[in-house]
Amino acid sequence: MAISFRNIHYGGIIMNYACSSRCAHCLYACAPQRDKAYLDEATAERLLDALAAQGCMEVHIGGGEPFLQPEALIRFCRRLRQRGFSVDYVETNSSWATDEKRTRDICRRLREAGVHTLLLSISPYHLGYVPLARVKALMAACRDTGMEIFLWRREFWEELEAMGAGTHSRAEFEAKYGADYWRQFARRYGVGLGGRARETYQAGLPHKSAETVEKQPCRELFNTGHFHMDCYGYYIPSGCTGLGIAVEDLKALPTGKYPLIEALHAGGVAALHRLAKEKFGFTADPAGYIDGCHLCSHIREYLALDAHAACPELHPMDHYRQLRGEREDHR
Ligand code: SF4
Ligand code: SF4
């Protein structure tokens, strides 16, 4: 029987992967250097068709930084409303709130397009790029236009304010709050160890052999509880960044089209590892892996950038290029 992703019930739309920030805990490895693609109208219709076909009529909107193209964002929100969808919230890092009048105007037009809440992302990593003054400016614009706000995560506000005006580096946080600050932050925030977050945190974690971690179950891939759909027309499983499925294929993946997902479905990471070794010459890192998802990501990066495997689920390719580029920059 064909593999299917049915009963998707709640998800987000990734308008873009480009972002004004490059947070060290970013699961999607967003950055200013990412591909500038933004959800276009034709792709939007494909996503909305796929969502409506499964009865999923409420979404949130994120990125990247969706406000990098506010006009396209407003158009998309209008289209969502025309088609009977509701928007739970739009995420933003507030970096665009530089001009009071423009900020208020964008908030007002989004309200008119049916958006009632903005989720304002704040964290010590965000403060490396976006001063709290911008967040406060956006909060004021929201207040003036009747837009509700949701600070994510509110509990960090006081310690961010205590850093003073402007942006603040990781070293400045350590100087103020102690050398263990970032490790504690990961626990308090509940950082998911994928994408750039894995690069940030893996060095301090115990590693085990590929043969050990490959036995761990591959749970997130088929978890349809909190998925995303992106600006290229792909479904992105929760937590499995760098894997995607064209939205038209969700109800029944054409046999043979997605060989890596078929392997993961049939035998988890162990089956993916076997396929990568036998068909593509993959060699596991002798330094080991923190978990099965780490091994899975390493295999996929190898298949995408070294073996040039023609597997459409290696998506978006820019994800792999970005992470490898950052690793090489740090050498
Ligand atoms: S966490 Fe948010 S603000 Fe930070 S780089 Fe990722 S998308 Fe951008
Ligand atoms: S092993 Fe790979 S596909 Fe499975 S949950 Fe982890 S990252 Fe996702």
Side-chain angles (χ1 to χ4, degrees), residues 19 21-31 91 93 119-130 152-153 156 160 170 182-183 185-202 239 241 319 323 326:
C19 187
S21 303
R22 201 178 79 172
C23 302
H25 67 320
C26 186
L27 187 58
Y28 293 91
C30 297
E91 297 172 358
N93 64 20
L119 181 152
L120 276 49
S121 301
I122 56 162
S123 80
Y125 285 128
H126 288 86
L127 199 58
Y129 299 91
V130 184
W152 182 257
R153 312 269 299 258
F156 289 96
L160 300 182
R170 296 178 67 173
W182 294 107
R183 198 177 65 83
F185 166 78
R187 185 186 52 73
R188 293 164 64 208
Y189 191 89
V191 171
L193 290 182
R196 189 179 293 121
R198 184 183 292 113
E199 307 282 326
T200 301
Y201 284 102
Q202 63 165 300
T241 49
H319 174 87
L323 287 178
E326 290 177 11

Side-chain angles (χ1 to χ4, degrees), residues 88-108:
D88 202 8
Y89 54 85
V90 181
E91 297 172 358
T92 180
N93 64 20
S94 309
S95 57
W96 54 280
T98 52
D99 177 281
E100 194 181 322
K101 185 172 169 307
R102 177 176 176 267
T103 306
R104 208 182 306 122
D105 182 58
I106 291 170
C107 289
R108 181 184 53 74

Side-chain angles (χ1 to χ4, degrees), residues 55-83:
C56 178
M57 299 303 289
E58 184 178 17
V59 292
H60 63 272
I61 295 176
E65 174 47 56
F67 285 86
L68 287 180
Q69 294 199 32
E71 298 305 324
L73 172 64
I74 293 167
R75 266 199 309 278
F76 178 59
C77 291
R78 286 193 193 123
R79 184 63 184 143
L80 280 168
R81 190 160 67 171
Q82 276 172 359
R83 289 200 50 175

